[in-house]
């Protein structure tokens, strides 16, 4: 097992790119049939905000996060309009900017975290979240925040065992693929 930031966005394999996008449900549109969409994502990935856990050469766990108000993907209106047309591209850009305005400068936000079921319990997920916490401390962050579906008992147990606590529970008016049940917990860990 090993953990690494990808060397560059161009060095990410299609499998790694797909796993990143599947972990970020709101990004799944990027990996449609159009090669331009995959290229758009690859060109705009900030690899310093992506951790990949490998078993041998196979990527089996990926964690993406936001720090300093920027996420693992840099969006621009022109690119989104080119991919999605003026209306849809403008709406996507407005949504990204609105979400971006909610970020806090004193926290690291775990945007997505996926470990393949066949590799859960191997310690790789624990090592990934521990490395993210170490990077947050080194950057002077005081808090790590994330969201978990209320029926994701495995995820809730995983985070609780590592010192995260639920600070808020809310319902989503529009239920997507990521939060299947509409009820979501905000979990927080204060760093020492």
């Amino acid at each position: 097992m090993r953990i690494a930031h990808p060397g560059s966005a161009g060095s990410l394999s299609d499998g790694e790119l797909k796993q990143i996008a599947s972990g970020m449900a709101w990004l799944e549109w990027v990996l449609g049939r159009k090669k331009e969409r995959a290229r758009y994502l690859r060109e705009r990935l900030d690899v310093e905000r992506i951790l990949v856990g490998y078993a041998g050469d196979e990527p089996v766990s990926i964690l993406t996060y936001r720090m300093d108000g920027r996420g693992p993907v840099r969006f621009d209106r022109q690119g989104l309009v080119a991919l999605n047309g003026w209306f849809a591209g403008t709406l996507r850009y407005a949504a990204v900017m609105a979400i971006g305005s909610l970020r806090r400068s004193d926290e690291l936000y775990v945007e997505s975290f996926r470990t393949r079921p066949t590799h859960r319990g191997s310690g790789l997920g624990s090592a990934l979240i521990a490395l993210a916490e170490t990077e947050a401390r080194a950057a002077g962050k005081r808090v790590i925040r994330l969201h978990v579906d209320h029926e994701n008992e495995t995820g809730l147990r995983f985070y609780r065992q590592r010192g995260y606590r639920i600070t808020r529970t809310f319902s989503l008016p529009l239920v997507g693929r990521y939060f299947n049940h509409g009820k979501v917990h905000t979990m927080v860990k204060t760093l020492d």
Side-chain angles (χ1 to χ4, degrees):
M1 289 190 309
R2 68 183 170 88
I3 298 172
H5 287 290
S8 72
S11 71
L12 286 166
S13 69
D14 287 343
E16 290 165 325
L17 204 61
K18 285 179 182 176
Q19 187 147 345
I20 290 166
S22 71
M24 302 164 72
W26 54 274
L27 266 182
E28 285 191 358
W29 62 272
V30 173
L31 289 177
R33 294 183 180 160
K34 295 183 181 178
K35 289 183 181 179
E36 300 83 23
R37 291 183 173 186
R39 187 172 62 244
Y40 175 83
L41 175 59
R42 189 173 265 122
E43 288 171 355
R44 285 159 181 82
L45 281 174
D46 186 340
V47 294
E48 293 303 313
R49 289 175 172 74
I50 300 169
L51 293 171
V52 183
Y54 296 89
D57 291 332
E58 183 184 13
V60 296
S61 189
I62 292 186
L63 185 148
T64 65
Y65 57 92
R66 299 191 313 222
M67 195 162 16
D68 299 331
R70 287 181 45 209
V73 183
R74 298 180 299 277
F75 288 95
D76 62 85
R77 184 177 175 278
Q78 181 180 356
L80 287 173
V81 166
L83 289 176
N84 300 279
W86 181 85
F87 182 72
T90 301
L91 283 180
R92 288 187 199 285
Y93 185 72
V96 168
M97 294 301 103
I99 291 168
S101 69
L102 300 175
R103 298 175 187 164
R104 296 176 45 181
S105 63
D106 65 340
E107 73 179 22
L108 179 146
Y109 177 71
V110 174
E111 193 160 44
S112 67
F113 187 18
R114 292 280 194 273
T115 300
R116 291 188 184 161
T118 54
H119 290 81
R120 290 181 185 155
S122 67
L124 190 54
S126 297
L128 277 173
I129 198 75
L131 183 54
E133 291 172 4
T134 299
E135 290 187 8
R137 284 185 189 95
K141 304 300 176 187
R142 296 180 10 204
V143 173
I144 294 188
R145 182 173 55 94
L146 52 91
H147 290 99
V148 182
D149 186 305
H150 87 288
E151 290 194 9
N152 181 354
E153 293 175 15
T154 303
L156 289 167
R157 185 173 45 256
F158 175 86
Y159 291 118
R160 281 187 179 126
Q161 288 172 349
R162 284 149 190 83
Y164 291 79
R165 59 182 170 63
I166 294 173
T167 59
R168 180 177 171 222
T169 300
F170 59 96
S171 295
L172 296 176
L174 299 173
V175 180
R177 258 181 38 103
Y178 186 69
F179 297 118
N180 293 317
H181 310 288
K183 196 171 178 182
V184 178
H185 299 296
T186 301
M187 297 190 82
V188 170
K189 180 175 183 177
T190 303
L191 301 173
D192 305 331

